[in-house]
Amino acid sequence: MSQLNPAMPLGVFDSGLGGLTAVRELRRVLPGEDIVYFGDTGRVPYGTKGREVIISYARQDIAFLLSRDVKTLLAACGTVSSTFPAAEGDALPAPYLGVVGPTTEAAARATKNGRVGIIGTEATIASGSYKAALEPLCPGVETVGAACPLFVPLVENGHFAPGDPLVELTVVEYLAPLKAAGVDTLILGCTHYPLLAGAIGAYMGPDVTLIDSGRQAALALKARLEAQNLLNPRQSGGATAYYVSDAPERFSRLAAILLGDENPGAATQITIEKYDLRWIRKGYRPATD
Ligand code: DGL
């Protein structure tokens, strides 16, 4: 690892392509920063896996990004952010940030009636991460969580527009209990859900504030870079390099949708299993793929 400096890229990782919703926000909030993105498309989904497997995958994802000399590590994935141990994140050689902290802070600021809905993958909801982070910020808060396992495949198959019958059916199925509970704030605790914000917002109604975890993480990362004097002084022109563990063509095709960018550029396939956090810490890098 080189000494951290402002010219280095930001590292962002996710279980697949969903983290591109966070990249889209980073480009808006930090347009001068270069980004190295890793999507674990060969092992997605993480949201149905057990805790130990998710942590071991996240360690390899982080090791890959550190091998690319990034100055920060953003876990865009709600599942990783809910599972990766905070103490391990704090001990990494570059500042590590997950989405749970910034997202719950925004939810605590937004709620007026103290009733907050949380939606995410099965692993995220089972972890209780958002509830645990929210309670100290918002004493007496009532949370209602719902796992929404069909949202990710719907988005990845192009079903996210308001009015799409599959989306409408699924939104009602998952969100009816949260609506009935009278939540006034809803945490979109998964990378893919911002694409469903139109349909979710239409169902929940105008009085419910939707909190986008990618947006909040991008704002928090900017504040962290400023505090640590790691902000790139450039105001524009940041470039993104994409790496995946499988199916780079599919990634690039879907990336155009998630980024809202017609030409996101090609992705490079790497062998993620080669990357080991213990070796990277000692300065060893795998031979290039
Ligand atoms: N990226 C994951 C998340 O935000 C969703 C997809 C998956 O299950 O891996 O939780």
Side-chain angles (χ1 to χ4, degrees):
M1 278 284 317
S2 317
Q3 179 96 25
L4 302 181
N5 72 66
M8 290 166 119
L10 308 175
V12 182
F13 70 101
D14 179 48
S15 56
L17 52 89
L20 295 175
T21 55
V23 170
R24 190 179 56 189
E25 297 300 334
L26 284 168
R27 282 180 170 175
R28 286 185 188 140
V29 174
L30 294 163
E33 299 286 346
D34 292 329
I35 298 172
V36 178
Y37 180 90
F38 173 68
D40 199 0
T41 49
R43 303 190 295 197
V44 70
Y46 285 11
T48 52
K49 305 233 167 28
R51 181 182 147 80
E52 291 310 317
V53 169
I54 296 166
I55 293 173
S56 69
Y57 286 177
R59 285 190 187 125
Q60 290 179 331
D61 303 346
I62 289 167
F64 168 72
L65 290 176
L66 289 173
S67 80
R68 293 298 186 273
D69 284 334
V70 297
K71 64 183 173 186
T72 53
L73 296 155
L74 173 63
C77 181
T79 303
V80 170
S81 304
S82 295
T83 310
F84 197 69
E88 197 171 326
D90 290 344
L92 290 166
Y96 167 85
L97 184 70
V99 295
V100 173
T103 306
T104 45
E105 282 165 23
R109 287 193 298 272
T111 185
K112 297 199 172 48
N113 71 5
R115 269 176 249 145
V116 177
I118 301 159
I119 54 175
T121 64
E122 288 166 78
T124 293
I125 297 305
S127 75
S129 60
Y130 282 98
K131 181 175 162 53
L134 196 55
E135 278 169 348
L137 300 176
C138 202
V141 68
E142 286 172 49
T143 59
V144 192
C148 306
L150 290 174
F151 279 175
V152 167
L154 277 175
V155 168
E156 295 204 359
N157 287 286
H159 295 279
F160 47 81
D164 181 308
L166 290 178
V167 172
E168 296 218 322
L169 196 67
T170 318
V171 163
V172 175
E173 170 73 17
Y174 289 141
L175 301 185
L178 284 72
K179 191 168 174 164
V183 303
D184 72 351
T185 303
L186 178 59
I187 292 176
L188 307 181
C190 171
T191 47
H192 291 61
Y193 300 177
L195 279 116
L196 294 165
I200 292 172
Y203 175 68
M204 295 301 288
D207 297 333
V208 176
T209 306
L210 306 184
I211 311 284
D212 174 339
S213 57
R215 170 90 188 149
Q216 298 308 322
L219 294 169
L221 191 58
K222 182 177 183 190
R224 170 98 52 117
L225 291 169
E226 272 164 355
Q228 299 188 327
N229 290 325
L230 283 173
L231 204 56
N232 191 318
R234 253 186 346 204
Q235 298 299 313
S236 63
T240 309
Y242 300 102
Y243 296 88
V244 293
S245 50
D246 196 13
E249 296 81 17
R250 179 176 192 267
F251 177 88
S252 297
R253 190 164 24 88
L254 290 168
I257 298 171
L258 274 94
L259 284 169
D261 176 346
E262 276 177 25
N263 190 13
T268 305
Q269 186 167 347
I270 56 126
T271 308
I272 191 62
E273 291 80 5
K274 282 191 196 170
Y275 292 84
D276 186 314
L277 204 43
R278 288 163 300 182
W279 299 341
I280 300 280
R281 279 180 185 285
K282 290 183 184 150
Y284 168 81
R285 287 160 200 248
T288 47
D289 283 85

